[in-house]
Amino acid sequence: MVGDRDRRNPGIIPRTFTKIFEIIQDNESKFEFKVSAYMLELYNERLQDLFVSPTEAFSKRIEIKRDRKGLVFIQGAETKEAASAGELFALFEQGCANRHIAATKMNVESSRSHLLIGIMIESRNLTNGSVSFGKLSLVDLAGSERAAKTGAKDDQLKEANSINKSLSALGDVISALSMEQPHVPYRNNKLTQLMQHSLGGNAKTLMFLNISPSDCNLDETLTSLIYATRVKAITNNAQRNIDSKEIAQLKEVILKLKSGQPVEEDV
């Protein structure tokens, strides 16, 4: 997802940052864009904000909420704007420096948490004033672990158990969605609550697997491929989130009133 340190072979995340702003540049004569982002990790069943220091993140209260349309939003998370791919990548590097990683027998830089980056994009049509909203969630899932292979002990074993528990809950959600069951157990884990609108909502979902060519990792490879096959069976009817010029103006007035700002009478 990240790529190498010197960025000669960038991963999906930095490539995505670049592509977003390439598209913005190609359309800046027709639209006005605003890009903002938040970055969280789910570590030992606890959500932590990676845009603040670890000390501040530990005491900060972050909650998963849903708006009237059923869309998930993160209350209390630090959201920062970016005007270029470089600025977005700098924010990403800042957050990565605060993420929990550790060495195991299978990975010298093993992720001890799930990483979630939310990128919000708002575009205003310069011709008719309509406003479109989009959100891209980039999720770097920590891999499932077997303690016998990783050599995890003490805190690392606790981390591994938390990772495996959340991945199991995600598997249950994926199974329910792929089989079109009436009840989907999103609330069983914070990871599935976070990913609810990315899996079963108004979204398109892509899953990328990191698998090993080694014979000794055959079981993990097969399990991962089966996992991804179930994801592929999920079908959503994604639609554009767009407001007319009038609706967009009314929302702007409401925000100003809530913050105590003056409102022009002709709006």
Side-chain angles (χ1 to χ4, degrees):
M1 291 292 287
V2 179
D4 55 14
R5 288 174 180 258
D6 58 11
R7 298 172 67 179
R8 291 182 181 177
N9 296 295
I12 293 169
I13 292 174
R15 288 174 186 268
T16 300
F17 296 163
T18 300
K19 191 63 178 178
I20 287 172
F21 283 94
E22 283 179 355
I23 294 172
I24 288 175
Q25 188 173 11
D26 290 342
N27 292 275
E28 61 185 2
S29 63
K30 302 176 184 177
F31 298 90
E32 181 180 85
F33 291 91
K34 177 182 175 182
V35 178
S36 57
Y38 61 80
M39 189 169 171
L40 308 171
E41 72 170 349
L42 181 59
Y43 176 72
N44 281 344
E45 311 297 324
R46 179 183 173 84
L47 274 177
Q48 295 190 192
D49 192 335
L50 295 178
F51 280 165
V52 300
S53 68
T55 303
E56 186 180 347
F58 186 78
S59 59
K60 192 173 185 180
R61 184 180 178 86
I62 298 177
E63 294 183 299
I64 304 168
K65 299 286 188 179
R66 295 177 65 182
D67 61 19
R68 293 180 179 179
K69 294 182 179 180
L71 298 177
V72 175
F73 69 95
I74 313 302
Q75 184 172 303
E78 188 88 9
T79 301
K80 298 192 176 184
E81 291 189 22
S84 68
E87 286 186 14
L88 199 51
F89 190 79
L91 290 173
F92 172 66
E93 286 188 314
Q94 173 192 332
C96 285
N98 294 326
R99 190 182 181 190
H100 287 84
I101 61 170
T104 70
K105 289 182 178 179
M106 293 187 71
N107 190 346
V108 69
E109 291 187 350
S110 174
S111 301
R112 313 313 297 165
S113 65
H114 302 301
L115 173 69
L116 176 68
I117 306 168
I119 304 174
M120 287 71 68
I121 305 172
E122 177 182 320
S123 68
R124 183 184 298 272
N125 189 308
L126 297 177
T127 302
N128 60 25
S130 63
V131 179
S132 299
F133 305 90
K135 181 180 179 182
L136 177 63
S137 297
L138 298 169
V139 184
D140 184 12
L141 296 172
S144 61
E145 294 188 0
R146 297 183 182 183
K149 283 191 174 184
T150 62
K153 297 178 181 178
D154 303 324
D155 287 345
Q156 286 192 6
L157 185 59
K158 180 182 177 182
E159 292 164 351
N161 288 337
S162 175
I163 291 168
N164 291 341
K165 180 181 177 182
S166 58
L167 290 174
S168 177
L170 180 58
D172 292 339
V173 165
I174 289 169
S175 293
L177 288 169
S178 61
M179 292 188 290
E180 299 183 355
Q181 294 180 358
H183 173 68
V184 181
Y186 291 115
R187 298 183 65 83
N188 287 0
N189 192 272
K190 286 184 178 179
L191 176 64
T192 48
Q193 291 181 53
L194 280 170
M195 296 181 64
Q196 179 171 350
H197 61 286
S198 300
L199 289 169
N202 183 28
K204 293 184 178 179
T205 307
L206 295 175
M207 175 173 277
F208 298 86
L209 294 181
N210 182 24
I211 58 177
S212 169
S214 175
D215 289 343
C216 67
N217 295 325
L218 178 61
D219 289 343
E220 288 84 356
T221 296
L222 290 176
T223 300
S224 297
L225 290 172
I226 292 170
Y227 201 98
T229 301
R230 294 206 303 255
V231 176
K232 192 176 180 181
I234 300 172
T235 55
N236 291 332
N237 182 24
Q239 298 176 346
R240 295 177 64 189
N241 298 312
I242 186 168
D243 289 337
S244 66
K245 179 181 179 179
E246 291 75 18
I247 296 289
Q249 287 179 334
L250 285 172
K251 286 184 175 181
E252 191 173 334
V253 168
I254 291 170
L255 286 174
K256 285 183 177 180
L257 289 172
K258 284 183 176 180
S259 61
Q261 299 180 40
V263 177
E264 296 178 9
E265 293 183 1
D266 59 342
V267 175

